[in-house]
Amino acid sequence: MALQFKRILAACALLCAAAGAAETLPVRGVYPAGSDAAASLGTIAVEPFGGVEGQQLGIAVADRLRAVTIDGAPYFRIVPSRAADEIDAVLQGTAGAEASRRESGTREKEVCVERNEDRDCIRKEKQEIPCWDQVVRLDATVRLVAIGGELIHAFDRSEEQAQRFCQGDDRPSTESLVRQLAARYADGLRGDLAPVQRSEQVRVMETRKGLSRDDGRAFREAVRLTKDDPAAACAAWSALEAANPDNAAVLFNRGLCAESSGELYEASDYYRRVIAGGEDTGYARQGAARIEGRWRANAQLESRHRP
């Protein structure tokens, strides 16, 4: 059994190493908020939230929205509800929490079973002690309402957070679990209301299927170059396109090069050519979805500057 476990660990290590060694190109862009209407806002007033946990949630949400930045600049202006100047919308909400305890099996623990006359432990035994999960559920309702009274966005969610403890441990704090849930809720709401700017490493296609021997070698060298010289890698794939106009890997990598340099229309064209070819379309569909998202985000950003 121990030998089998070691083999599993070794296999996992090889897979992790392979994943870490995968060749990628950097992609940086702005991706859309879930709500176009919310993303067009400039100033949001946050009213005091109702309910027992409303204050905790209101603070978490206001802090999260205040921290949103695009190109280093704050995206929203977050003000108290009493501020009356140039407010676009009001954020209202209520939140409550329930705490409970449920059984969670046992844990082995060394327990003193014999002490000397000085009360020092002289013999210990391993015993199974009972454990429980401290469970907190947060029920929250938030509404983003325009100054004119129109509902812009509704966000309702019930979530649980559990922390295990055993006999002799300090019972987890309900307040701490509520804070974690409030932060998670605020993160979800942030994604609905504002675009997000992120950088990621997107994996190139490495298959040489359908290439001649010489082109395959050139393709492999291009993959290797992504580590140290992405521009040279992209130039190599560009040189391969004329002789391989329908090769999915060549076309996808050309598209990824274009996406990496911000040429979104060119990238979209390459991804759609791969999809139309019907082979190895998973990467290309993901790429096309990223491009569509970035176009939508661009429209959201532009809507904030329209009169």
Side-chain angles (χ1 to χ4, degrees):
M1 190 72 177
L3 180 59
Q4 183 181 6
F5 182 67
K6 288 180 179 178
R7 287 174 176 169
I8 291 172
L9 287 178
C12 288
L14 287 173
L15 287 173
C16 291
E23 316 303 348
T24 62
L25 290 178
V27 170
R28 184 174 187 271
V30 179
Y31 297 88
S35 167
D36 293 333
S40 70
L41 302 174
T43 301
I44 298 175
V46 180
E47 290 188 350
F49 284 15
V52 176
E53 303 300 340
Q55 184 178 17
Q56 182 68 55
L57 180 62
I59 290 172
V61 167
D63 285 349
R64 190 67 187 89
L65 295 181
R66 197 176 288 113
V68 175
T69 61
I70 300 294
D71 290 332
Y75 192 79
F76 292 125
R77 178 172 169 253
I78 304 299
V79 299
S81 58
R82 62 179 179 272
D85 60 321
E86 299 181 359
I87 293 172
D88 298 317
V90 176
L91 198 65
Q92 308 165 332
T94 183
E98 291 184 1
S100 60
R101 189 180 77 170
R102 64 190 178 205
E103 293 184 358
S104 182
T106 61
R107 184 183 74 191
E108 192 178 73
K109 181 180 181 180
E110 278 195 338
V111 177
C112 183
V113 295
E114 186 178 351
R115 297 181 182 275
N116 60 22
E117 58 185 19
D118 294 325
R119 302 301 297 163
D120 296 326
C121 186
I122 58 175
R123 187 166 67 89
K124 293 182 178 181
E125 288 182 358
K126 289 184 178 180
Q127 295 181 359
E128 294 293 324
I129 60 171
C131 298
W132 302 270
D133 284 329
Q134 175 75 359
V135 183
V136 173
R137 189 184 75 193
L138 180 69
D139 297 305
T141 298
V142 171
R143 297 289 182 268
L144 183 63
V145 182
I147 291 302
E150 304 88 357
L151 177 64
I152 297 173
H153 189 67
F155 194 78
D156 300 340
R157 181 174 293 180
S158 295
E159 287 199 47
E160 285 189 355
Q161 180 78 9
Q163 187 172 337
R164 192 169 188 252
F165 69 103
C166 298
Q167 188 178 72
D169 296 340
D170 292 333
R171 187 166 179 168
S173 163
T174 297
E175 290 76 12
S176 175
L177 295 174
V178 167
R179 282 196 297 272
Q180 294 176 45
L181 286 167
R184 190 191 305 170
Y185 189 100
D187 284 342
L189 184 62
R190 178 256 178 270
D192 278 7
L193 303 189
V196 60
Q197 188 170 41
R198 68 172 185 262
S199 299
E200 57 189 314
Q201 294 291 326
V202 179
R203 186 171 181 171
V204 303
M205 285 183 68
E206 299 184 42
T207 177
R208 287 168 279 160
K209 179 182 176 182
L211 298 176
S212 68
R213 180 177 295 181
D214 287 344
D215 284 351
R217 280 196 286 263
F219 185 97
R220 182 176 60 188
E221 176 62 14
V223 171
R224 188 191 65 79
L225 284 169
T226 58
K227 283 187 175 181
D228 304 313
D229 195 346
C234 289
W237 283 315
S238 179
L240 287 169
E241 183 183 356
N244 304 276
D246 300 316
N247 184 274
V250 171
L251 294 180
F252 173 80
N253 291 346
R254 289 279 286 130
L256 184 55
C257 288
E259 184 182 1
S260 180
S261 62
E263 302 294 334
L264 302 189
Y265 286 98
E266 183 179 351
S268 178
D269 180 63
Y270 276 112
Y271 292 150
R272 295 193 180 285
R273 286 169 63 185
V274 176
I275 294 169
E279 292 186 20
D280 300 316
T281 61
Y283 281 27
R285 290 186 186 280
Q286 292 174 15
R290 284 194 304 272
I291 299 300
E292 291 292 336
R294 291 177 67 175
W295 281 335
R296 183 182 171 194
N298 288 342
Q300 290 177 350
L301 294 174
E302 288 174 2
S303 71
R304 305 181 78 238
H305 303 293
R306 291 173 187 162

